Amino acid sequence: MEFDFACFADSFKNGIIYIPNTLGLVLIPLALGLIIGTLLAYIRFKKVKIASQIIAGFVTIYRGIPVVVALLIYNMIFLLFYGSWQKFFHWKTSIQDINILWIAVFALTLGQICGMEEVMRSSLLSIDKGQWEAGKSIGMKEGQLVFHVIIPQLIPAALPHLTNLILGCIKNSSVVIAIGVVDIMVGCTKPAEITYMFFEAYLAAAVIYWIINIFVEMALRKYENYSKKFRKEIA
């Protein structure tokens, strides 16, 4: 089999068009995952009764489910039950008018929440207890202590793990092809539906994902090095 550079170029160009779609599938789950995951991690760190146990159980169970399996389950629930929900809540929006992109966002967000919760909780545990005690000794309230003392140390401590989580989210976003959401992967394979040059299409998708990950990793590593200096100054 000869490699067709023309087909590779066509798939590459078509995949680039859908980079904004993939970025949306990545940025929204990451932002929500960071906010909600950090909050859940704080609840578990403080060992809030019942709530911390529920969170621990959910995270343990959900992290054992592959993303593509969760995605297919949510899609089936949506297709099977939306009609009933529409009648019960008197929604005017039909199932055809809803973008299935949001099902993918929901599935990826839950995965990121669980991942972020684990990362942030371990980072909270790595912060010296003396930092909490020092803040309380000078009369700082819980909110002030968290935002002015803990978070500036929390992010640098979590960055190495966050980098891996973010890169994983970018790669995992390709599973949305399973329910027909258009992203880089779908964009690259569209020309192959005519030419049947799927090897070139998959390779083009791999190159695009690789380039995105290279830039993201470089930016995060650079910030990680900067934050280490900042953390030393705080210490």
Side-chain angles (χ1 to χ4, degrees):
M1 184 184 72
E2 294 184 1
F3 185 82
D4 194 320
F5 285 98
C7 291
F8 173 82
D10 287 341
S11 293
F12 188 84
K13 291 176 184 176
N14 207 59
I16 289 175
I17 296 172
Y18 297 99
I19 287 179
N21 291 34
T22 294
L23 291 179
L25 286 167
V26 171
L27 295 177
I28 296 174
L30 283 176
L32 293 175
L34 181 61
I35 295 169
I36 300 174
T38 303
L39 178 61
L40 297 182
Y42 185 73
I43 292 173
R44 284 190 68 186
F45 176 75
K46 286 294 184 179
K47 297 180 181 179
V48 178
K49 291 183 180 180
I50 302 177
S52 60
Q53 296 173 344
I54 292 173
I55 294 168
F58 172 76
V59 170
T60 301
I61 294 170
Y62 199 85
R63 293 195 72 188
I65 302 173
V67 177
V68 67
V69 175
L71 182 65
L72 291 171
I73 290 173
Y74 298 142
N75 189 51
M76 288 300 299
I77 291 174
F78 172 72
L79 294 174
L80 292 173
F81 297 105
Y82 182 79
S84 301
W85 298 337
Q86 184 184 25
K87 291 179 181 178
F88 183 80
F89 293 104
H90 303 289
W91 292 337
K92 294 182 180 180
T93 305
S94 65
I95 193 170
Q96 291 81 8
D97 297 326
I98 296 178
N99 192 339
I100 57 173
L101 172 72
W102 296 111
I103 299 174
V105 169
F106 178 75
L108 293 173
T109 298
L110 282 181
Q112 289 305 305
I113 288 172
C114 294
M116 291 287 184
E117 190 278 334
E118 287 292 286
V119 169
M120 290 303 181
R121 187 172 65 88
S122 63
S123 299
L124 280 169
L125 291 171
S126 70
I127 296 174
D128 193 286
K129 291 182 179 180
Q131 300 290 327
W132 297 87
E133 294 170 358
K136 290 177 180 178
S137 66
I138 60 174
M140 294 184 74
K141 295 181 179 179
E142 187 76 9
Q144 293 175 320
L145 178 58
V146 169
F147 283 102
H148 296 292
V149 178
I150 303 304
I151 289 181
Q153 297 179 69
L154 178 66
I155 300 301
L159 261 178
H161 301 293
L162 286 177
T163 299
N164 293 330
L165 203 62
I166 292 169
L167 295 178
C169 184
I170 295 172
K171 291 182 287 186
N172 287 337
S173 66
S174 62
V175 302
V176 300
I177 192 175
I179 62 171
V181 176
V182 179
D183 67 335
I184 291 172
M185 189 67 178
V186 175
C188 287
T189 55
K190 275 188 176 182
E193 293 174 1
I194 300 173
T195 62
Y196 296 101
M197 296 293 185
F198 284 98
F199 175 74
E200 287 82 354
Y202 294 143
L203 186 59
V207 171
I208 293 174
Y209 281 113
W210 176 72
I211 292 172
I212 293 173
N213 277 335
I214 286 293
F215 280 106
V216 171
E217 186 172 10
M218 287 174 61
L220 290 173
R221 295 300 181 196
K222 188 174 182 180
Y223 181 73
E224 183 181 337
N225 292 332
Y226 168 77
S227 64
K228 284 180 182 177
K229 179 183 177 181
F230 180 66
R231 191 179 185 185
K232 288 179 182 178
E233 291 175 355
I234 292 178

